[in-house]
Amino acid sequence: MLLTELTVDRDTFEAGTGWRLQPEGACRGDVCIPLRDPTGDTVDVATVADRMGLPLVRDDEHGMWALGPWPGTGRALVDAQAPDLVLPQLDGRDFRLSSLRGQKVLILSWAPY
């Protein structure tokens, strides 16, 4: 969600994040995150982002904020550990990315399309 200011109306927050603000907190599906007074007409995005664990980044050059997805969605990295990828080597044996655990690894992918 892109923002020009950190206070937005409730409908804008709900439409941009997919979270509904209810008396028990911010809810989506079976998940509810308790928030202090989530039923007002405006949302303090910085406070809500901090409470919910949503990434919030400022672009000073353009005067904009970016509010990222909730880490529990699986669409954002919670840590810097890659999943254990298994790829075939030229000789046909499997190579496991986990065999390099503890080392810095750069993964570069390419596709001809």
Side-chain angles (χ1 to χ4, degrees), residues 8-11 13-14 19-27 33-44 48:
V8 298
D9 64 77
R10 174 192 190 97
D11 292 336
F13 179 83
E14 289 180 348
W19 289 88
R20 293 191 45 187
L21 298 177
Q22 300 176 339
E24 54 269 32
C27 299
I33 299 173
L35 296 175
R36 197 175 288 165
D37 190 27
T39 58
D41 292 336
T42 60
V43 177
D44 178 346
V48 170

Side-chain angles (χ1 to χ4, degrees), residues 4-82:
T4 55
E5 56 188 66
L6 290 179
T7 302
V8 298
D9 64 77
R10 174 192 190 97
D11 292 336
T12 299
F13 179 83
E14 289 180 348
T17 64
W19 289 88
R20 293 191 45 187
L21 298 177
Q22 300 176 339
E24 54 269 32
C27 299
R28 185 165 59 191
D30 294 338
V31 176
C32 282
I33 299 173
L35 296 175
R36 197 175 288 165
D37 190 27
T39 58
D41 292 336
T42 60
V43 177
D44 178 346
V45 176
T47 301
V48 170
D50 181 58
R51 180 72 177 125
M52 294 178 66
L54 301 174
L56 181 64
V57 189
R58 175 154 171 80
D59 179 351
D60 288 324
E61 183 179 343
H62 298 98
M64 300 202 57
W65 292 88
L67 180 66
W70 181 57
T73 63
R75 294 184 305 207
L77 292 176
V78 177
D79 59 33
Q81 287 191 354

